[in-house]
Every structure is written in C-alpha cells, then in structure tokens.
C-alpha cells in the first residue's frame, strides 16, 4: 500500500476530528449541574488565587483547566488542551498498533478512534475527555513489558509509565480498577514482566502524591471521589447481576454503531423545522437507521470477539515466542474483558459507557483483528467501506452536536464560560 495514500487518509481523518471536536466543545451544555461547570469554576479559582493544589477529588481535572489558562487567559485554552491531549493519545496508540497491523487496518482504526461518536460525544470539559492519554501510556507500557529479554533500565521505565498511567486514570475515572486488575492477572500469568525496582519506586512516589488526597478524605468522609457517578455498596454488581451484563454489552457495543442512548433517543430536529410532525418523522427515521445499523454492527462485533477468543484459546495457558506481539495483545484484551466482570462484581460504582471508555481502544482490537483477515485485499477495496463508515460517523456526530442531551447549536461556550469565570472570580 502506498505510504503517501496512508498519510493523506489519516491526515484527513485527523482534520475532521479537529473540526468536530471544536464544534462539540463550543456547543457543550455548561449548566450548574454539569461537570464542565464545576471544572471551569474550580480551575479559574486556582488560576487566579495561585493556591497550592491539593490532590483532592478533582485536582487533576482542575489542573487540566487552570494550567492552560495560566499560559493564555482565555476560556478556550482548556478546550485546545483537551483536543491536543486526545490527538497525542491517538498518535501514541497508532504508533504502537502500526507495528502489529497493516496500513489499511490502521486507517480503519483511525476512523474508529477519531470519528466514532463513542469518543467524540465526550468532547467536553469532563473527566472522560482526558482519559485516553492514560490509556495510551498503559497500552504502550503493558505491551513493552511482555518482552522479558529487555534491559533492566528499559523495564524500569516502562514499569514506572505503567504505574503512572493507571494513576492518571484513577484521578479521572472509577473504572481505573479494570486496568489494575488486568495488570495483576497478567503479572500472575507471567504475560508481563514488570521491574520490581520500578514498581517500588513508582508506588513510593504515588504514595507521597496521595497524602493530601487521603487527608482530604479523612477531613470529609462524605466527599464524593468521582463526580456524576452513582455510588452503591461493595459487591453491588454481584447481587444485581445486570451491571455485569451491562459491562460486557458495552464492550461489544464499543466495536459497533450501537451508540449512546443520548444520541439515539435524545437527538432532536427542532432546528430543522418548526413543524412537530416533521420533527417526529425525522426522529423516527433517525432512530430506525441507528437501531438497524447498530444491530447489524453488534453482530459483527460479537463475531469478531468470538473469533479472537477462539484464536487465542490454544495459546492462553501456554508460553510462546515473544515476537508474537499481536497474540499478546489478544491475551491482554481477553484478560481485560474478564477484569471488567470482576471489577463490576465488587465495585460500588455504577459504570456507564463514558466511564468504561478507558477500555475503548482494547475493545476495538477484536474488530481490527477481523479486518486484518482481509488484508490480502487491494487497498482500493477497503476505500469505499472506510469512506462510508467515516461519512456515517460524521453525520451522526453532526446531528448529535446540533441538538441532544449535552449539546446544542444554541449553546454559546464562550459567553457561558466567561460568565462562569466572572462568577467564580467575584
């Protein structure tokens, strides 16, 4: 496949991602109950007061908003950082996966990662918008640690990166435990070979960082660690089995077009016509198209997962050549799928699609593995399907950001965010 054609295709996808991300950010709903309102007001407060940041419940989110405003005193600065961090995460993940998959498959990945509503719909001031950078660090480090013949200095650095990637996710999502359980299982299974010195060093640094965090919890035992997530009791998922199936369903849905309910059922068409009849017909047509496309793609995603598990089953409990990195990646995905079940079973949190988005990249691996089977096809045969998928994603994103639960073309981010700045500062 022509390298130039690959670069042009991926560049086009990146450009469309930036355009959609800007529209999403500028159309986001900033009300007093939204996480964006909280992050912006807290970030502005720290920005102007110059107070020392304590690692409390939302300190990382605060830093992600206040830091760019220290460089440029404009409320658009956090939005720019948000987009840049996601693009950085994409390029890190892309570089690692490009070693395992063909160029045509990587173009599929670019579309699925950068244009899929599963991630684009989270392009707003919120924890889920920043999570992918931690996921990128985790993916790279865990794959590097599958090689036991590396120098100690290399395994030391990759172990430290692994620990801090999990810490990043801990600060942003309650689902960080999925990554922790996955890591422990892979270590016990000897699929990864962490450096003990690196682990001790990183844990010692993390312990020091966590002192203000633990102190804050002792001061206020009722403080919520995570915003916008339901808190039940430990073992809630075991008693009520539905959350377990819900987690598995999300894993399958991530590789499909069965998007968030906010997109399917809460996308309105009042901007299109004042007639309620026209709006109703458009809504019914919209739901029908998405449900049909969603069901068909869910079947494909389920088949892809079954194929991956079937392929990895003979190798799962055996040692094999360390140059088979794709096989290791499949094992990691299989273990993560089991970790989701274990975490949901014991966790007190009710996890939603945006919460589990830290598993999104790994949930795409079975689909990419299936696409790789068609690598023998000429690139020209991939182009029409990639183009149709990209156009479909762009249309879905475009309509969702025009009018849905969290976005509207009537929202004015600049005006509203400046009002929040004034309120917080005064």
């Amino acid at each position: 496949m022509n390298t130039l054609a690959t670069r042009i295709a991926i560049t086009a996808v990146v450009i469309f991602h930036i355009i959609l991300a800007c529209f999403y950010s500028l159309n986001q709903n900033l009300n007093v109950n939204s996480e964006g309102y909280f992050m912006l007001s807290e970030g502005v407060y720290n920005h102007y007061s110059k107070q020392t940041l304590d690692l409390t419940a939302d300190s990382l989110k605060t830093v992600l908003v206040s830091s760019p405003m220290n460089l440029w005193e404009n409320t658009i600065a956090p939005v720019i950082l948000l987009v840049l961090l996601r693009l950085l995460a994409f390029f890190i993940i892309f570089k690692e996966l490009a070693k395992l998959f063909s160029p045509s498959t990587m173009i599929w990945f670019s579309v699925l990662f950068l244009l899929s509503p599963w991630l684009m719909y989270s392009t707003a001031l919120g924890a889920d918008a920043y999570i992918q950078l931690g996921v990128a660090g985790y993916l790279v480090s865990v794959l590097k640690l599958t090689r036991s013949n590396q120098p100690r200095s290399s395994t030391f650095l990759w172990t430290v990166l692994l620990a801090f990637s999990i810490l990043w996710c801990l600060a942003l999502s309650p689902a960080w435990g999925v990554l922790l359980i996955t890591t422990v299982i892979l270590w016990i299974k000897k699929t990864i070979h962490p450096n003990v010195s690196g682990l001790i060093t990183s844990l010692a640094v993390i312990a020091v960082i966590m002192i203000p965090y633990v102190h804050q919890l002792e001061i206020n035992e009722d403080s919520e660690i995570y915003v916008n997530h339901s808190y039940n009791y430990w073992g809630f998922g075991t008693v009520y089995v539905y959350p377990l199936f819900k987690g598995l369903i999300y894993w399958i849905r991530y590789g499909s077009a069965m998007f968030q309910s906010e997109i399917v059922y809460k996308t309105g068409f009042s901007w299109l016509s004042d007639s309620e009849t026209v709006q109703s017909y458009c809504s019914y047509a919209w739901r029908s198209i998405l449900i049909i496309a969603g069901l068909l793609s869910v079947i494909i995603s389920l088949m892809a997962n079954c194929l991956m598990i079937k392929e990895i089953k003979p190798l799962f409990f055996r040692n094999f050549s360390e140059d088979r990195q794709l096989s290791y990646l499949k094992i990691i995905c299989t273990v993560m799928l089991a970790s989701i079940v274990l975490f949901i079973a014991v966790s007190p949190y009710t996890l939603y699609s945006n919460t589990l988005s830290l598993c999104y990249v790994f949930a795409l691996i079975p689909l990419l593995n299936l696409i790789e089977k068609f690598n023998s096809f000429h690139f020209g045969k991939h182009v029409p399907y990639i183009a149709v998928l990209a156009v479909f994603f762009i249309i879905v994103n475009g309509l969702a950001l025009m009018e849905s639960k969290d976005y509207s073309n009537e929202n004015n981010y600049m005006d509203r965010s400046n009002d929040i700045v004034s309120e917080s500062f005064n």
Side-chain angles (χ1 to χ4, degrees):
M1 179 182 170
N2 194 315
T3 305
L4 179 60
T6 305
R7 292 179 178 177
I8 292 174
I10 295 172
T11 301
V13 174
V14 170
I15 291 172
F16 277 111
H17 173 82
I18 294 174
I19 294 172
L20 287 171
C22 290
F23 276 110
Y24 265 114
S25 299
L26 297 177
N27 286 8
Q28 63 181 293
N29 182 22
L30 289 174
N31 57 48
V32 292
N33 296 318
S34 69
E35 190 175 9
Y37 182 98
F38 177 79
M39 290 176 64
L40 194 60
S41 60
E42 290 297 306
V44 171
Y45 178 78
N46 279 277
H47 167 63
Y48 283 105
S49 66
K50 305 294 185 183
Q51 289 188 355
T52 303
L53 293 175
D54 291 330
L55 190 61
T56 54
D58 301 286
S59 63
L60 179 57
K61 304 174 192 177
T62 300
V63 170
L64 291 171
V65 172
S66 61
S67 296
M69 291 187 67
N70 278 307
L71 298 176
W72 181 30
E73 293 190 6
N74 193 307
T75 52
I76 201 67
V79 171
I80 295 175
L81 178 65
L82 184 156
V83 177
L84 290 177
L85 288 181
R86 180 175 289 173
L87 288 176
L88 176 62
F90 165 73
F91 286 118
I92 293 173
I93 296 170
F94 183 94
K95 184 178 180 181
E96 194 65 27
L97 293 184
K99 301 174 185 177
L100 308 178
F101 295 105
S102 64
S104 57
T105 303
M106 292 310 299
I107 296 177
W108 281 97
F109 168 74
S110 301
V111 173
L112 290 167
F113 185 89
L114 290 178
L115 298 182
S116 174
W118 280 114
L119 288 189
M120 288 302 305
Y121 196 77
S122 297
T123 310
L125 294 181
D128 306 308
Y130 300 98
I131 198 74
Q132 297 306 320
L133 184 62
V135 174
Y138 181 84
L139 173 67
V140 173
S141 56
V142 79
L143 280 176
K144 295 294 185 183
L145 290 173
T146 57
R147 303 168 183 170
S148 60
N149 57 351
Q150 291 189 96
R152 288 179 59 85
S153 58
S154 295
T155 56
F156 178 89
L157 293 175
W158 293 123
T159 302
V160 171
L161 177 61
L162 177 70
F164 278 91
S165 296
I166 296 176
L167 178 64
W168 177 279
C169 295
L170 181 153
L172 297 174
S173 171
W176 68 276
V178 173
L179 301 184
L180 180 62
I181 294 174
T182 301
T183 304
V184 172
I185 294 176
L186 291 174
W187 192 4
I188 293 174
K189 189 182 174 301
K190 296 183 179 180
T191 301
I192 61 173
H193 309 276
N195 182 287
V196 177
S197 300
L199 184 62
I200 294 174
T201 302
S202 56
L203 289 178
V205 175
I206 291 173
V208 173
I209 295 175
M210 293 293 287
I211 291 175
Y213 176 81
V214 176
H215 179 64
Q216 178 68 18
L217 292 181
E218 291 177 350
I219 294 175
N220 185 6
E221 296 181 356
D222 298 326
S223 62
E224 294 185 9
I225 301 176
Y226 298 103
V227 178
N228 297 337
H229 295 294
S230 300
Y231 185 90
N232 299 293
Y233 52 83
W234 293 98
F236 175 81
T238 305
V239 177
Y240 296 92
V241 184
Y242 172 69
L244 297 179
F245 290 103
K246 191 176 181 181
L248 294 174
I249 291 170
Y250 278 140
W251 176 276
I252 301 298
R253 286 176 60 188
Y254 283 149
S256 74
M258 185 66 76
F259 305 123
Q260 299 95 320
S261 59
E262 289 85 354
I263 294 178
V264 179
Y265 297 106
K266 297 182 180 180
T267 298
F269 292 88
S270 62
W271 55 271
L272 183 63
S273 172
D274 293 331
S275 172
E276 293 185 2
T277 303
V278 173
Q279 294 177 28
S280 297
Y281 280 125
C282 289
S283 296
Y284 288 137
W286 168 260
R287 293 172 187 175
S288 299
I289 292 172
L290 288 189
I291 290 174
I292 292 173
L295 289 174
L296 292 175
S297 57
V298 161
I299 295 173
I300 296 174
S301 179
L302 184 59
M303 291 172 55
N305 277 272
C306 291
L307 175 63
M308 183 191 73
I309 294 174
K310 181 179 179 181
E311 289 178 346
I312 210 63
K313 186 178 179 181
L315 301 172
F316 193 83
F317 294 105
R318 298 180 184 178
N319 295 322
F320 52 90
S321 176
E322 294 188 358
D323 60 356
R324 299 175 64 176
Q325 287 291 289
L326 182 55
S327 296
Y328 276 112
L329 182 58
K330 294 176 188 177
I331 289 178
I332 293 168
C333 292
T334 305
V335 172
M336 182 170 288
L337 185 57
S339 299
I340 291 175
V341 175
L342 290 174
F343 180 77
I344 294 177
V346 300
S347 171
Y349 295 102
T350 300
L351 302 183
Y352 306 106
S353 59
N354 55 344
T355 312
L356 274 174
S357 62
L358 56 78
C359 303
Y360 180 74
V361 172
F362 295 92
L364 290 179
I365 300 304
L367 188 60
L368 296 178
N369 179 58
L370 178 62
I371 294 172
E372 187 72 7
K373 305 300 179 185
F374 300 94
N375 183 39
S376 57
F377 289 5
H378 187 271
F379 175 65
K381 293 184 178 180
H382 287 266
V383 171
Y385 299 103
I386 295 175
V388 169
L389 181 65
V391 171
F392 176 68
F393 281 170
I394 290 172
I395 291 174
V396 173
N397 282 309
L399 293 177
L401 66 86
M402 288 293 290
E403 185 181 359
S404 59
K405 177 184 177 182
D406 301 306
Y407 302 91
S408 173
N409 62 326
E410 296 181 356
N411 292 333
N412 190 318
Y413 171 80
M414 294 303 298
D415 290 343
R416 183 63 182 133
S417 59
N418 287 328
D419 289 342
I420 297 171
V421 170
S422 300
E423 294 169 3
S424 302
F425 180 66
N426 293 332

